[in-house]
Amino acid sequence: MATVELINIRKAYASFEAIRGISLKINQGEFVAILGPSGCGKTTTLGLLAGFSKPTEGEILVGSVPVKDIPPHKRNVGVVFQNYALFPHLNVFENVAFGLRMRKVGQADIVPRARRALDIVQLGHLEERGVRQLSGGQQQRVALARALVIEPELLLLDEPLSNLDATLREQMRFEIREIQKRIGITTVFVTHDQGEAMAAADRLVVMNKGLVRQYGTAQEIYRFPADAFVAGFIGQANHLDGVLVGQDRTHYRVRLDTGDELDALRRSDIPENAPVQLILRPEDLKLSPAVPQGHRGLRAKVTRVSFLGAAANVGVAVAGRPLSILCSSEVETPRTGEDVFVHWPEQAAMVFPQENA
């Protein structure tokens, strides 16, 4: 286990900056997920930690030791790749033992260490089986055992669940989390799937365009996003454009492009007359025939009702702008075409400056 620190890291390819100056500290034994849209720099960051490339600027510390000039094979880092990179001509045991043989570990030590790694991922009974005979979930576990068998200071996971079907992916995200916590190894997990990240990680790193937009727990980022991008990327969100037309010490006054004017709690400094986005989570919105006293509300028309089992997703249009609302299926849902009011508690509305695409 080791503490990992990235200090003012930049990575440029000719005139393109993939990483634009990021700093992160990952605590010993922590499970951190890096996520963001395609091209945000998350896989580049993982490659820098693994040693597959060197930063253009900045320093990487693993256990307080600078490692940017240390090649991958000399770093004590285990990596699980997106496609697992298993050797099809070797059986399960030999795939797991491969890293030990490359490190010139003696056969007397290889056998117990490889079997211990297979036991950790609950595949000890399959050590003689060819990898082509394994399911996708079993192959993923073999790749994890191969990374763990070298007893690394740092474990790196590069979208390891992306090739699994939805049901198995959900099962494996919890299994990886349980194994990581049992072993206590410092782990960095790259994914584009926010559900995976929120379910498995202690903290999330949300990246976009080579920058870290926010770093914190899933709860912190979901409820207190740093900006409009994070609010829209983590979880579902409704966006309404408007202009900040007034504010005092505690509240903003926003004129939406629907023509409505609404108040929202003030969270930061935004200049008067600045274009803004009002962001509302679907589960925070309520529907009623009239706006309850003391609530904010918008006139809307129901455009669709989708039954989801325990919940229903209701689509409405506010002056032609779509909103999505998550309602309990135990509550009577409106009918398509019905006129309703959408309302929410004061603390639910988030206002951010509009961002350029």
Side-chain angles (χ1 to χ4, degrees), residues 224-295:
F224 304 100
D227 53 40
F229 168 79
V230 175
F233 188 79
I234 299 295
Q236 294 183 315
N238 295 295
H239 298 252
L240 289 169
D241 293 335
V243 176
L244 188 73
V245 294
Q247 58 185 301
D248 58 27
R249 191 170 55 86
T250 59
H251 288 79
Y252 296 127
R253 184 72 174 172
V254 176
R255 181 184 297 125
L256 299 176
D257 63 2
T258 62
D260 299 278
E261 287 196 9
L262 299 168
D263 292 330
L265 290 178
R266 177 173 176 158
R267 300 190 183 203
S268 60
D269 291 326
I270 302 176
E272 297 270 334
N273 300 315
V276 295
Q277 284 192 326
L278 181 73
I279 297 178
L280 298 157
R281 300 288 186 195
E283 67 271 20
D284 290 331
L285 300 182
K286 309 297 180 187
L287 294 175
S288 64
V291 181
Q293 188 174 1
H295 287 70

Side-chain angles (χ1 to χ4, degrees), residues 76-213:
N76 192 16
V77 174
V79 184
V80 177
F81 297 98
Q82 184 175 357
N83 63 358
Y84 312 144
L86 299 176
F87 300 110
H89 62 290
L90 299 179
N91 65 19
V92 167
F93 180 90
E94 289 301 328
N95 265 279
V96 174
F98 180 81
L100 297 175
R101 298 194 192 284
M102 291 298 97
R103 286 166 172 75
K104 310 299 184 185
V105 175
Q107 183 66 19
D109 290 327
I110 286 176
V111 173
R113 286 177 62 175
R115 286 179 173 164
R116 186 163 62 247
L118 284 169
D119 286 341
I120 288 172
V121 299
Q122 300 179 0
L123 287 181
H125 60 295
L126 297 180
E127 67 175 51
E128 298 299 327
R129 187 167 295 185
V131 294
R132 287 175 171 158
Q133 299 172 282
L134 302 178
S135 68
Q138 289 170 333
Q139 289 183 23
Q140 194 271 342
R141 292 189 202 184
V142 173
L144 183 58
R146 187 176 61 183
L148 293 173
V149 75
I150 63 172
E151 298 175 357
E153 294 178 289
L154 174 63
L155 177 64
L156 305 177
L157 307 174
D158 184 14
E159 305 230 27
L161 308 180
S162 61
N163 293 326
L164 305 179
D165 63 60
T167 301
L168 186 54
R169 189 162 62 241
E170 185 169 352
Q171 174 189 341
M172 289 305 302
R173 71 175 64 155
F174 293 113
E175 290 196 15
I176 287 177
R177 166 75 173 184
E178 191 276 330
I179 290 169
Q180 186 270 339
K181 285 302 169 190
R182 181 150 37 91
I183 298 172
I185 188 171
T186 307
T187 301
V188 179
F189 177 34
V190 161
T191 179
H192 66 279
D193 186 319
Q194 59 174 278
E196 288 178 5
M198 295 175 77
D202 297 309
R203 289 194 289 171
L204 313 182
V205 180
V206 183
M207 294 188 67
N208 191 36
K209 298 178 181 178
L211 295 171
V212 172
R213 303 297 290 264

